């Protein structure tokens, strides 16, 4: 079977890359554009939609930020709709955004430095919203001598191009998801352009926009 390449862009210098090549491309770009800084150390971490692997990002994460800071960044970039709970799973431990001590002592909060958790090659999961859940997986790709440019210590350094989603009716780029079709298993028919949506027979208020996120079409997520 042909491997999908999942194209995207390296945001350090704006050049094309793919999910698979991103790690090496980003390292080359950072070395060329910024030069190595032996006093700085950051994790290079790739996140993707667990069930929607075409959505991927790579973050440069300062060595000692907290899981909470990464959770905020993921919400900002990809996930936030109505302030749902979220959770990381790492080495079988769960770290919740709002831990409730009454549910046993397995759940730690997210005020934990990644310095004590991450190592190169580590993989884990992130879940946003225990109702209409969006599942992400992540992998620590590398540990590098560069500092993130963002003040919160987390910089988005690569992202997938929006997948080419077409109107099921006319083949133009799709802008709208009909949620009635989407949740009634007719997901083939759910993606529509503005024009065809006006002719579409379902409830016209039951829609969400097509957005570049693994949370597309879930809860009230509008990007
Ligand atoms: Zn929501
Ligand atoms: Zn159309
Ligand atoms: Zn419909």
């Amino acid at each position: 079977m042909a491997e999908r390449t999942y194209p995207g862009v390296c945001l350090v210098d704006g050049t094309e890359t793919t999910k698979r090549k991103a790690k090496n491309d980003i390292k080359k770009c950072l070395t060329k554009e910024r030069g190595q800084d032996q006093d700085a150390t950051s994790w290079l971490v790739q996140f993707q939609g667990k069930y929607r692997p075409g959505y991927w990002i790579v973050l440069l994460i300062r060595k000692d930020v907290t899981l909470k800071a990464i959770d905020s960044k993921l919400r900002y970039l990809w996930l936030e709709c109505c302030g749902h709970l979220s959770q990381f799973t790492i080495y079988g431990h769960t770290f919740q955004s709002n831990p409730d001590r009454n549910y046993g002592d397995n759940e730690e909060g997210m005020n934990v430095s990644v310095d004590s958790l991450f190592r190169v090659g580590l993989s884990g999961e992130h879940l946003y919203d225990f109702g209409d859940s969006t599942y992400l997986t992540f992998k620590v790709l590398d540990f590098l001598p560069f500092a993130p440019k963002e003040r919160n210590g987390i910089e988005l350094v690569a992202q997938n191009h929006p997948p080419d989603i077409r109107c099921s009716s006319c083949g133009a780029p799709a802008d709208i998801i009909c949620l009635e079709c989407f949740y009634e298993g007719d997901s083939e028919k759910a993606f529509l352009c503005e024009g065809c949506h006006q002719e579409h027979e379902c409830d016209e208020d039951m829609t969400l926009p097509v957005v570049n996120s693994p949370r597309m079409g879930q809860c009230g997520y509008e990007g």
Side-chain angles (χ1 to χ4, degrees):
M1 212 166 69
E3 282 282 338
R4 299 284 311 270
T5 53
Y6 301 126
V9 62
C10 167
L11 296 163
V12 179
D13 67 349
T15 52
E16 294 292 307
T17 186
T18 65
K19 183 157 92 173
R20 188 169 301 204
K21 292 193 332 205
K23 172 180 154 183
N24 287 331
D25 285 350
I26 292 163
K27 276 163 73 173
K28 257 189 270 168
C29 275
L30 285 169
T31 306
K32 193 173 73 177
E33 299 281 318
R34 298 185 194 171
Q36 299 197 357
D37 174 357
Q38 294 306 334
D39 295 329
T41 38
S42 300
W43 306 99
L44 192 68
V45 185
Q46 186 162 58
F47 288 82
Q48 63 172 9
K50 184 174 182 183
Y51 304 110
R52 291 175 168 178
Y55 297 94
W56 59 268
I57 52 177
V58 181
L59 301 177
L60 185 66
I61 298 175
R62 200 179 59 221
K63 186 179 101 162
D64 58 352
V65 304
T66 59
L67 287 179
K68 194 181 173 74
I70 299 173
D71 182 64
S72 303
K73 188 77 171 179
L74 293 172
R75 285 169 182 259
Y76 170 74
L77 292 170
W78 257 2
L79 301 172
E80 188 63 271
C81 51
C82 2
H84 302 283
L85 295 183
S86 57
Q87 173 176 293
F88 281 96
T89 305
I90 300 171
Y91 301 120
H93 289 272
T94 54
F95 302 85
Q96 289 199 350
S97 63
N98 204 347
D100 185 338
R101 298 288 169 199
N102 297 326
Y103 283 107
D105 27 38
N106 270 343
E107 279 141 23
E108 301 165 61
M110 285 190 184
N111 283 317
V112 183
S113 163
V114 296
D115 204 16
S116 60
L117 294 169
F118 281 6
R119 60 175 170 72
V120 176
L122 169 80
S123 54
E125 293 200 7
H126 180 273
L127 178 162
Y128 176 74
D129 184 0
F130 286 79
D132 194 356
S133 304
T134 300
Y135 297 91
L136 307 178
T137 58
F138 69 90
K139 186 164 187 197
V140 181
L141 301 176
D142 216 334
F143 188 59
L144 300 171
F146 302 103
K149 274 198 166 166
E150 302 280 329
R151 257 200 302 163
N152 65 7
I154 305 173
E155 180 182 356
L156 177 66
V157 289
Q159 181 164 25
N160 68 280
H161 288 312
D164 185 24
I165 300 174
R166 296 282 160 167
C167 173
S168 57
S169 182
C170 75
D175 318 290
I176 293 170
I177 310 166
C178 169
L179 295 178
E180 267 189 71
C181 290
F182 198 62
Y183 287 110
E184 271 154 38
D186 219 345
S187 57
E188 299 272 287
K189 275 168 57 189
F191 293 95
L192 296 160
C193 71
E194 299 271 359
C196 295
H197 178 244
Q198 288 178 10
E199 323 271 285
H200 189 70
E201 288 184 354
C202 296
D203 182 347
E204 66 178 296
D205 295 331
M206 292 272 293
T207 62
L208 280 174
V210 170
V211 288
N212 188 15
S213 154
R215 191 156 175 76
M216 178 178 69
Q218 295 189 281
C219 192
Y221 188 70
E222 299 189 329

